[in-house]
Amino acid sequence: MRAKHNLPIPRLSLWLTHAGMLAEQFLRAFWPFFSVLMAILAALMLGLHDEVRVEIVWGVGAVALLGLAATLFIGARRFHFPMRAEALMRLDEALPGRPIQALIDDQAIGSQDADSVALWRAHQNRMARRVAQAEPVKPDLRLADRDPFALRYSALLALVIAALFGSFWRIGSVAEMTPGAAVAGQGPSWEGWVEPPRYTGLPTLYLADQSDPTLSVPQGSRITLRFYGEVGAHSLTENTTPLGTEAATEPEQDFVVDRSGQLKIDGPSGRDWTLNVIADAPPQVAVAGSAESEAGGQMKLPFAASDDYGVISGSAVIELDLTSVDRRYGLSAAPEPREVISVELPMPITGDRADFTEDLIEDFSQHPWAHLPVKITLMARDAAEQETQSEPHLTALPARRFFDPLAAAVIEQRRDLLWTRENATRVSQMLRAVSHLPEELFRSDTAYLRLRVILRRLEMFNEYGLKPEQQAEIAEALWELGVLIEEGTLADALERMRRAQERLTEAMKNGATDEEIAELMQELREATQDYLRQLQRLAQENGEFDENQQGQNGETMQMTQDDLQRMMDRIQELMEQGRMAEAQQALEEFQQMMENMRVTQGQGQGQQSEGQQAMEGLAETLREQQGLSDQAFRDLQEQFNPGAQSGESQGNEGRSGGQGRGQSHEGQGGQGRGTDEQGGGGQQSQGSLADRQQALRDELNRQQQGLPGAGTPEGDAARDALDRAGRAMEGAEEALRGDDLAEAIDQQSEAMEALREGMRSLGEALAQNQQNQPGQGSQEGDMQANNRDPLGRSPGANGTISTDENLLQGEDVYRRARELLDEIRRRTGESDRPQIELEYLKRLLERF
């Protein structure tokens, strides 16, 4: 066969393939050389040669140069320059059918046969077309088989780090470390540095640049000197260390400055300085205020600390001030030895620790020394391990306070038991005396039973000798009992409210009647009122009233008892109308609001305005009227089905004293029920209801006399509505005296509706009057502008639910109403809107 030189191969593909093969050979041969070179450059750029002795630098440098020469020699022997024929073969191997080889070959058989020659040419033409479309072959640059430990990548990483954090110019400093060069160029020389302690944050000083003969350096600074040239040409003399140094000639000098003194370098280019050592002052710490008890019982102790370079840590040591303890009752015996309390002081996370003020907050409510006189000593420590203690701060150890007398007594006996185990007999006697007549003392049977269990265990332990672990067990049980007694009322009230809400939810699902709904709503009202009373009592005892009624973010919503009453009335109205889905949602919102409620003491709590007093009086009248209507309804049921309502009546009596809505009627309702039962007749019951209806109408007339808002449209509307309520009450009274319970219930319903309308009108009048007062419009306007509902309306004044702003404004209100309705329908059809918005729009369509 003979070769052919005119091959239809793309030149670019052949050239790239050839270059790839060259790169393969180059990397496979010289990767050790480049790895060693990168490692040497990285070490020099990072300045590692400045951290070791000169001899070590040149020794390592010689080894590195030998390594470079060896790897370069081995690489040169391994390197093979690829030829053009090898590139053709590499390219041919990547093509199907080896077309380049086919073009190079000659026909060996059948060269005399015309058909065979034609077939061979056709074959070569097809191979030529295939060669003309040849793509360059990618080189194989993988070196994993030759470098299994990836040393080349380690060297590359070191070089990248050196490029980021080092300097290329530090490579040239190696020449300065050549002794011969120093001698030949400028003779013997030296250099030195003063490195202050790291915690000072001060920079390192280069001694050759310090022209001032006096240097002020922090105590503990490290001085490093290096002498170049002939050994003995330079020497060091200093007296800043305890032993000092006299004419030292070693090439490297390293010492820590401990005191002020002289530093002198003798020699051809010698220098001397007077070192003024700045002493590290000890830290300072002191109590910055009185120890106080937080709402949850945690101790809050402000303190101030300072140091010239910053405080590192601190602690507080609390020990009992036995001489100041009132040694009476359970504290008269000698106390058992206890370790002092030691807690870490909080340090600022960010900022400067040279001078700061922080608060130590810890909970010592369960410690035996709670509320007893103690000594609090603060300690601060700086980076130089210097410690300073403050003067003892005398105070009673702040802890949780118990306002319930029974809970306070239990906690006191717990303290006596922890004071010493010798008080176990006395504590058991006191607990037995407390639990002797529990009927009027314990509000919870659970608390009484737990006290009896604790008492029996304490007496049993004491009989066989009370051990420390048993002492701790009884103390823990007494603490839990005290907390149960203190918080049990609020927790029980909350649980009762949740239970009433759950029953109401089940009633919605099961299709309850109007009478059942009214009964369940009455139960919810009573539970809510009880929960609010307990919440307010605890807030008053703990001093947790929030004077600032508006939150910092403007999202705080204020709710009065009238607002809560209106919400519950709305829930009952929705249920009676059969709109259970809306009622369920309103009930869930009410439940979430009640659980997140916080009692506040707004402006004027002690001195209510005339309008607030009028609103509260009307709300009380409405609750009284509701109670009378419920009682009349039960009496009507008793007439048609005697005996069927007796069990229910007794249940109602036990729960609310026979009265309807409102906590304030329990006493009155109880008296009314008792009168009925004593009389035993329906006529006597109706007569009692008629008298109570008359008294309620007289009270409404009295309230109308001092009603505010006279002369305004809202105030006049409120008076008209209350007049209708009075006439309806008069009709109800006449119907009750005439033994017409059905008519009486209708008149009472009309009276309640008129009362609600009057309260709404009066609320609008008060809100309008408050908006017109100077100094409040702009502030409330700014707040309301950012808190509008989906229809653009502002919320009511002072956080109320209603608004005095009309929805339809302008001349053509009907056109505006149609536009709003069309817009609501359009938005309802957009399925990509949030589900909660779609539900709200559907409720608007159902209502309007």
Side-chain angles (χ1 to χ4, degrees), residues 458-484:
L458 177 59
E459 291 176 343
M460 181 184 67
F461 291 154
N462 191 34
E463 182 179 356
Y464 296 98
L466 187 62
K467 299 179 181 179
E469 57 272 14
Q470 297 171 344
Q471 178 191 29
E473 176 187 345
I474 297 298
E476 180 66 22
L478 288 175
W479 174 264
E480 294 177 356
L481 176 62
V483 173
L484 175 64

PDB file of all heavy atoms in Angstrom, residues 458-484:
ATOM      1  N   LEU A 458     -45.103  13.255 103.705  1.00  0.00           N
ATOM      2  CA  LEU A 458     -44.180  13.950 104.612  1.00  0.00           C
ATOM      3  C   LEU A 458     -44.174  13.290 105.986  1.00  0.00           C
ATOM      4  O   LEU A 458     -43.101  13.096 106.591  1.00  0.00           O
ATOM      5  CB  LEU A 458     -44.581  15.425 104.716  1.00  0.00           C
ATOM      6  CG  LEU A 458     -43.760  16.272 105.691  1.00  0.00           C
ATOM      7  CD1 LEU A 458     -42.284  16.261 105.318  1.00  0.00           C
ATOM      8  CD2 LEU A 458     -44.296  17.703 105.735  1.00  0.00           C
ATOM      9  N   GLU A 459     -45.335  12.943 106.511  1.00  0.00           N
ATOM     10  CA  GLU A 459     -45.385  12.295 107.828  1.00  0.00           C
ATOM     11  C   GLU A 459     -44.739  10.923 107.799  1.00  0.00           C
ATOM     12  O   GLU A 459     -44.064  10.518 108.749  1.00  0.00           O
ATOM     13  CB  GLU A 459     -46.841  12.205 108.286  1.00  0.00           C
ATOM     14  CG  GLU A 459     -47.454  13.570 108.618  1.00  0.00           C
ATOM     15  CD  GLU A 459     -48.912  13.460 108.984  1.00  0.00           C
ATOM     16  OE1 GLU A 459     -49.524  12.391 108.669  1.00  0.00           O
ATOM     17  OE2 GLU A 459     -49.468  14.415 109.554  1.00  0.00           O
ATOM     18  N   MET A 460     -44.918  10.183 106.696  1.00  0.00           N
ATOM     19  CA  MET A 460     -44.287   8.880 106.590  1.00  0.00           C
ATOM     20  C   MET A 460     -42.768   9.012 106.515  1.00  0.00           C
ATOM     21  O   MET A 460     -42.032   8.285 107.189  1.00  0.00           O
ATOM     22  CB  MET A 460     -44.823   8.149 105.356  1.00  0.00           C
ATOM     23  CG  MET A 460     -44.233   6.747 105.169  1.00  0.00           C
ATOM     24  SD  MET A 460     -44.798   5.977 103.643  1.00  0.00           S
ATOM     25  CE  MET A 460     -44.009   7.061 102.448  1.00  0.00           C
ATOM     26  N   PHE A 461     -42.274   9.948 105.704  1.00  0.00           N
ATOM     27  CA  PHE A 461     -40.830  10.164 105.606  1.00  0.00           C
ATOM     28  C   PHE A 461     -40.261  10.609 106.951  1.00  0.00           C
ATOM     29  O   PHE A 461     -39.188  10.159 107.371  1.00  0.00           O
ATOM     30  CB  PHE A 461     -40.522  11.218 104.540  1.00  0.00           C
ATOM     31  CG  PHE A 461     -40.793  10.764 103.140  1.00  0.00           C
ATOM     32  CD1 PHE A 461     -41.088  11.684 102.135  1.00  0.00           C
ATOM     33  CD2 PHE A 461     -40.760   9.412 102.809  1.00  0.00           C
ATOM     34  CE1 PHE A 461     -41.330  11.268 100.842  1.00  0.00           C
ATOM     35  CE2 PHE A 461     -41.008   8.988 101.508  1.00  0.00           C
ATOM     36  CZ  PHE A 461     -41.294   9.918 100.534  1.00  0.00           C
ATOM     37  N   ASN A 462     -40.978  11.491 107.634  1.00  0.00           N
ATOM     38  CA  ASN A 462     -40.479  12.026 108.902  1.00  0.00           C
ATOM     39  C   ASN A 462     -40.440  10.954 109.984  1.00  0.00           C
ATOM     40  O   ASN A 462     -39.610  10.995 110.897  1.00  0.00           O
ATOM     41  CB  ASN A 462     -41.356  13.207 109.341  1.00  0.00           C
ATOM     42  CG  ASN A 462     -40.744  13.965 110.495  1.00  0.00           C
ATOM     43  OD1 ASN A 462     -39.522  14.084 110.598  1.00  0.00           O
ATOM     44  ND2 ASN A 462     -41.586  14.480 111.378  1.00  0.00           N
ATOM     45  N   GLU A 463     -41.335   9.989 109.882  1.00  0.00           N
ATOM     46  CA  GLU A 463     -41.369   8.925 110.896  1.00  0.00           C
ATOM     47  C   GLU A 463     -40.108   8.076 110.855  1.00  0.00           C
ATOM     48  O   GLU A 463     -39.613   7.638 111.895  1.00  0.00           O
ATOM     49  CB  GLU A 463     -42.612   8.058 110.668  1.00  0.00           C
ATOM     50  CG  GLU A 463     -42.773   6.944 111.698  1.00  0.00           C
ATOM     51  CD  GLU A 463     -44.024   6.128 111.455  1.00  0.00           C
ATOM     52  OE1 GLU A 463     -44.796   6.479 110.525  1.00  0.00           O
ATOM     53  OE2 GLU A 463     -44.248   5.140 112.194  1.00  0.00           O
ATOM     54  N   TYR A 464     -39.579   7.854 109.656  1.00  0.00           N
ATOM     55  CA  TYR A 464     -38.381   7.035 109.516  1.00  0.00           C
ATOM     56  C   TYR A 464     -37.115   7.869 109.282  1.00  0.00           C
ATOM     57  O   TYR A 464     -36.069   7.312 108.973  1.00  0.00           O
ATOM     58  CB  TYR A 464     -38.554   6.066 108.338  1.00  0.00           C
ATOM     59  CG  TYR A 464     -39.663   5.071 108.562  1.00  0.00           C
ATOM     60  CD1 TYR A 464     -40.923   5.285 108.005  1.00  0.00           C
ATOM     61  CD2 TYR A 464     -39.466   3.938 109.350  1.00  0.00           C
ATOM     62  CE1 TYR A 464     -41.959   4.383 108.211  1.00  0.00           C
ATOM     63  CE2 TYR A 464     -40.491   3.028 109.555  1.00  0.00           C
ATOM     64  CZ  TYR A 464     -41.734   3.254 108.986  1.00  0.00           C
ATOM     65  OH  TYR A 464     -42.747   2.359 109.189  1.00  0.00           O
ATOM     66  N   GLY A 465     -37.233   9.163 109.416  1.00  0.00           N
ATOM     67  CA  GLY A 465     -36.069  10.023 109.217  1.00  0.00           C
ATOM     68  C   GLY A 465     -36.048  10.607 107.814  1.00  0.00           C
ATOM     69  O   GLY A 465     -35.838   9.891 106.835  1.00  0.00           O
ATOM     70  N   LEU A 466     -36.283  11.915 107.719  1.00  0.00           N
ATOM     71  CA  LEU A 466     -36.370  12.573 106.421  1.00  0.00           C
ATOM     72  C   LEU A 466     -34.976  12.703 105.807  1.00  0.00           C
ATOM     73  O   LEU A 466     -34.059  13.255 106.414  1.00  0.00           O
ATOM     74  CB  LEU A 466     -36.995  13.973 106.582  1.00  0.00           C
ATOM     75  CG  LEU A 466     -37.316  14.730 105.300  1.00  0.00           C
ATOM     76  CD1 LEU A 466     -38.346  13.979 104.477  1.00  0.00           C
ATOM     77  CD2 LEU A 466     -37.801  16.138 105.626  1.00  0.00           C
ATOM     78  N   LYS A 467     -34.825  12.202 104.590  1.00  0.00           N
ATOM     79  CA  LYS A 467     -33.546  12.251 103.890  1.00  0.00           C
ATOM     80  C   LYS A 467     -33.521  13.443 102.931  1.00  0.00           C
ATOM     81  O   LYS A 467     -34.578  13.994 102.582  1.00  0.00           O
ATOM     82  CB  LYS A 467     -33.320  10.948 103.118  1.00  0.00           C
ATOM     83  CG  LYS A 467     -33.274   9.723 104.023  1.00  0.00           C
ATOM     84  CD  LYS A 467     -33.082   8.453 103.199  1.00  0.00           C
ATOM     85  CE  LYS A 467     -33.052   7.213 104.101  1.00  0.00           C
ATOM     86  NZ  LYS A 467     -32.894   5.965 103.314  1.00  0.00           N
ATOM     87  N   PRO A 468     -32.320  13.851 102.507  1.00  0.00           N
ATOM     88  CA  PRO A 468     -32.245  15.029 101.623  1.00  0.00           C
ATOM     89  C   PRO A 468     -33.028  14.863 100.323  1.00  0.00           C
ATOM     90  O   PRO A 468     -33.684  15.815  99.875  1.00  0.00           O
ATOM     91  CB  PRO A 468     -30.740  15.171 101.355  1.00  0.00           C
ATOM     92  CG  PRO A 468     -30.083  14.537 102.540  1.00  0.00           C
ATOM     93  CD  PRO A 468     -30.972  13.415 102.951  1.00  0.00           C
ATOM     94  N   GLU A 469     -32.971  13.675  99.705  1.00  0.00           N
ATOM     95  CA  GLU A 469     -33.720  13.509  98.464  1.00  0.00           C
ATOM     96  C   GLU A 469     -35.225  13.543  98.708  1.00  0.00           C
ATOM     97  O   GLU A 469     -35.994  14.028  97.864  1.00  0.00           O
ATOM     98  CB  GLU A 469     -33.314  12.209  97.760  1.00  0.00           C
ATOM     99  CG  GLU A 469     -33.476  10.953  98.593  1.00  0.00           C
ATOM    100  CD  GLU A 469     -32.236  10.642  99.428  1.00  0.00           C
ATOM    101  OE1 GLU A 469     -31.373  11.543  99.558  1.00  0.00           O
ATOM    102  OE2 GLU A 469     -32.128   9.503  99.929  1.00  0.00           O
ATOM    103  N   GLN A 470     -35.679  13.045  99.860  1.00  0.00           N
ATOM    104  CA  GLN A 470     -37.090  13.128 100.202  1.00  0.00           C
ATOM    105  C   GLN A 470     -37.493  14.568 100.506  1.00  0.00           C
ATOM    106  O   GLN A 470     -38.605  15.005 100.187  1.00  0.00           O
ATOM    107  CB  GLN A 470     -37.387  12.217 101.387  1.00  0.00           C
ATOM    108  CG  GLN A 470     -37.141  10.739 101.101  1.00  0.00           C
ATOM    109  CD  GLN A 470     -37.221   9.886 102.349  1.00  0.00           C
ATOM    110  OE1 GLN A 470     -37.176  10.402 103.477  1.00  0.00           O
ATOM    111  NE2 GLN A 470     -37.324   8.564 102.174  1.00  0.00           N
ATOM    112  N   GLN A 471     -36.592  15.297 101.132  1.00  0.00           N
ATOM    113  CA  GLN A 471     -36.834  16.710 101.394  1.00  0.00           C
ATOM    114  C   GLN A 471     -37.036  17.473 100.090  1.00  0.00           C
ATOM    115  O   GLN A 471     -37.959  18.282  99.959  1.00  0.00           O
ATOM    116  CB  GLN A 471     -35.658  17.295 102.180  1.00  0.00           C
ATOM    117  CG  GLN A 471     -35.766  18.776 102.470  1.00  0.00           C
ATOM    118  CD  GLN A 471     -34.465  19.335 103.016  1.00  0.00           C
ATOM    119  OE1 GLN A 471     -33.387  18.830 102.709  1.00  0.00           O
ATOM    120  NE2 GLN A 471     -34.561  20.371 103.832  1.00  0.00           N
ATOM    121  N   ALA A 472     -36.196  17.186  99.097  1.00  0.00           N
ATOM    122  CA  ALA A 472     -36.329  17.842  97.804  1.00  0.00           C
ATOM    123  C   ALA A 472     -37.624  17.433  97.101  1.00  0.00           C
ATOM    124  O   ALA A 472     -38.277  18.255  96.435  1.00  0.00           O
ATOM    125  CB  ALA A 472     -35.124  17.505  96.921  1.00  0.00           C
ATOM    126  N   GLU A 473     -38.029  16.179  97.259  1.00  0.00           N
ATOM    127  CA  GLU A 473     -39.271  15.706  96.630  1.00  0.00           C
ATOM    128  C   GLU A 473     -40.483  16.421  97.208  1.00  0.00           C
ATOM    129  O   GLU A 473     -41.368  16.884  96.468  1.00  0.00           O
ATOM    130  CB  GLU A 473     -39.393  14.197  96.832  1.00  0.00           C
ATOM    131  CG  GLU A 473     -40.694  13.617  96.296  1.00  0.00           C
ATOM    132  CD  GLU A 473     -40.866  12.155  96.663  1.00  0.00           C
ATOM    133  OE1 GLU A 473     -39.866  11.523  97.081  1.00  0.00           O
ATOM    134  OE2 GLU A 473     -42.008  11.650  96.540  1.00  0.00           O
ATOM    135  N   ILE A 474     -40.544  16.531  98.530  1.00  0.00           N
ATOM    136  CA  ILE A 474     -41.676  17.214  99.159  1.00  0.00           C
ATOM    137  C   ILE A 474     -41.674  18.695  98.797  1.00  0.00           C
ATOM    138  O   ILE A 474     -42.738  19.293  98.553  1.00  0.00           O
ATOM    139  CB  ILE A 474     -41.627  17.018 100.685  1.00  0.00           C
ATOM    140  CG1 ILE A 474     -41.760  15.530 101.037  1.00  0.00           C
ATOM    141  CG2 ILE A 474     -42.725  17.809 101.366  1.00  0.00           C
ATOM    142  CD1 ILE A 474     -43.061  14.895 100.607  1.00  0.00           C
ATOM    143  N   ALA A 475     -40.486  19.312  98.752  1.00  0.00           N
ATOM    144  CA  ALA A 475     -40.411  20.726  98.392  1.00  0.00           C
ATOM    145  C   ALA A 475     -40.917  20.964  96.971  1.00  0.00           C
ATOM    146  O   ALA A 475     -41.627  21.940  96.715  1.00  0.00           O
ATOM    147  CB  ALA A 475     -38.972  21.218  98.534  1.00  0.00           C
ATOM    148  N   GLU A 476     -40.576  20.087  96.045  1.00  0.00           N
ATOM    149  CA  GLU A 476     -41.057  20.226  94.679  1.00  0.00           C
ATOM    150  C   GLU A 476     -42.573  20.074  94.614  1.00  0.00           C
ATOM    151  O   GLU A 476     -43.257  20.813  93.889  1.00  0.00           O
ATOM    152  CB  GLU A 476     -40.376  19.183  93.786  1.00  0.00           C
ATOM    153  CG  GLU A 476     -40.802  19.217  92.324  1.00  0.00           C
ATOM    154  CD  GLU A 476     -40.380  20.494  91.629  1.00  0.00           C
ATOM    155  OE1 GLU A 476     -39.427  21.143  92.114  1.00  0.00           O
ATOM    156  OE2 GLU A 476     -41.005  20.837  90.609  1.00  0.00           O
ATOM    157  N   ALA A 477     -43.107  19.119  95.367  1.00  0.00           N
ATOM    158  CA  ALA A 477     -44.558  18.928  95.378  1.00  0.00           C
ATOM    159  C   ALA A 477     -45.273  20.138  95.981  1.00  0.00           C
ATOM    160  O   ALA A 477     -46.337  20.551  95.497  1.00  0.00           O
ATOM    161  CB  ALA A 477     -44.907  17.658  96.158  1.00  0.00           C
ATOM    162  N   LEU A 478     -44.719  20.722  97.052  1.00  0.00           N
ATOM    163  CA  LEU A 478     -45.327  21.912  97.647  1.00  0.00           C
ATOM    164  C   LEU A 478     -45.281  23.098  96.687  1.00  0.00           C
ATOM    165  O   LEU A 478     -46.216  23.912  96.655  1.00  0.00           O
ATOM    166  CB  LEU A 478     -44.609  22.258  98.952  1.00  0.00           C
ATOM    167  CG  LEU A 478     -44.868  21.317 100.141  1.00  0.00           C
ATOM    168  CD1 LEU A 478     -44.000  21.693 101.321  1.00  0.00           C
ATOM    169  CD2 LEU A 478     -46.347  21.349 100.533  1.00  0.00           C
ATOM    170  N   TRP A 479     -44.204  23.218  95.937  1.00  0.00           N
ATOM    171  CA  TRP A 479     -44.141  24.306  94.955  1.00  0.00           C
ATOM    172  C   TRP A 479     -45.228  24.153  93.891  1.00  0.00           C
ATOM    173  O   TRP A 479     -45.912  25.118  93.556  1.00  0.00           O
ATOM    174  CB  TRP A 479     -42.761  24.332  94.305  1.00  0.00           C
ATOM    175  CG  TRP A 479     -42.669  25.321  93.193  1.00  0.00           C
ATOM    176  CD1 TRP A 479     -42.824  25.096  91.858  1.00  0.00           C
ATOM    177  CD2 TRP A 479     -42.433  26.727  93.319  1.00  0.00           C
ATOM    178  NE1 TRP A 479     -42.692  26.254  91.148  1.00  0.00           N
ATOM    179  CE2 TRP A 479     -42.453  27.281  92.018  1.00  0.00           C
ATOM    180  CE3 TRP A 479     -42.202  27.562  94.404  1.00  0.00           C
ATOM    181  CZ2 TRP A 479     -42.262  28.631  91.784  1.00  0.00           C
ATOM    182  CZ3 TRP A 479     -42.004  28.926  94.163  1.00  0.00           C
ATOM    183  CH2 TRP A 479     -42.028  29.436  92.878  1.00  0.00           C
ATOM    184  N   GLU A 480     -45.380  22.963  93.355  1.00  0.00           N
ATOM    185  CA  GLU A 480     -46.413  22.741  92.349  1.00  0.00           C
ATOM    186  C   GLU A 480     -47.806  22.989  92.934  1.00  0.00           C
ATOM    187  O   GLU A 480     -48.683  23.521  92.240  1.00  0.00           O
ATOM    188  CB  GLU A 480     -46.313  21.323  91.810  1.00  0.00           C
ATOM    189  CG  GLU A 480     -45.033  21.051  91.035  1.00  0.00           C
ATOM    190  CD  GLU A 480     -44.926  19.613  90.582  1.00  0.00           C
ATOM    191  OE1 GLU A 480     -45.831  18.820  90.943  1.00  0.00           O
ATOM    192  OE2 GLU A 480     -43.955  19.265  89.873  1.00  0.00           O
ATOM    193  N   LEU A 481     -48.004  22.636  94.203  1.00  0.00           N
ATOM    194  CA  LEU A 481     -49.292  22.890  94.843  1.00  0.00           C
ATOM    195  C   LEU A 481     -49.537  24.379  94.980  1.00  0.00           C
ATOM    196  O   LEU A 481     -50.648  24.866  94.730  1.00  0.00           O
ATOM    197  CB  LEU A 481     -49.319  22.201  96.208  1.00  0.00           C
ATOM    198  CG  LEU A 481     -50.580  22.457  97.051  1.00  0.00           C
ATOM    199  CD1 LEU A 481     -51.818  21.935  96.337  1.00  0.00           C
ATOM    200  CD2 LEU A 481     -50.447  21.806  98.423  1.00  0.00           C
ATOM    201  N   GLY A 482     -48.513  25.137  95.395  1.00  0.00           N
ATOM    202  CA  GLY A 482     -48.677  26.578  95.528  1.00  0.00           C
ATOM    203  C   GLY A 482     -49.007  27.233  94.201  1.00  0.00           C
ATOM    204  O   GLY A 482     -49.874  28.127  94.129  1.00  0.00           O
ATOM    205  N   VAL A 483     -48.340  26.816  93.142  1.00  0.00           N
ATOM    206  CA  VAL A 483     -48.632  27.368  91.818  1.00  0.00           C
ATOM    207  C   VAL A 483     -50.043  27.002  91.385  1.00  0.00           C
ATOM    208  O   VAL A 483     -50.762  27.820  90.784  1.00  0.00           O
ATOM    209  CB  VAL A 483     -47.588  26.872  90.803  1.00  0.00           C
ATOM    210  CG1 VAL A 483     -47.963  27.284  89.386  1.00  0.00           C
ATOM    211  CG2 VAL A 483     -46.204  27.391  91.156  1.00  0.00           C
ATOM    212  N   LEU A 484     -50.469  25.771  91.681  1.00  0.00           N
ATOM    213  CA  LEU A 484     -51.823  25.355  91.334  1.00  0.00           C
ATOM    214  C   LEU A 484     -52.865  26.204  92.042  1.00  0.00           C
ATOM    215  O   LEU A 484     -53.862  26.632  91.440  1.00  0.00           O
ATOM    216  CB  LEU A 484     -52.005  23.870  91.682  1.00  0.00           C
ATOM    217  CG  LEU A 484     -53.418  23.308  91.494  1.00  0.00           C
ATOM    218  CD1 LEU A 484     -53.827  23.353  90.033  1.00  0.00           C
ATOM    219  CD2 LEU A 484     -53.499  21.884  92.025  1.00  0.00           C
TER     220      LEU A 484
END
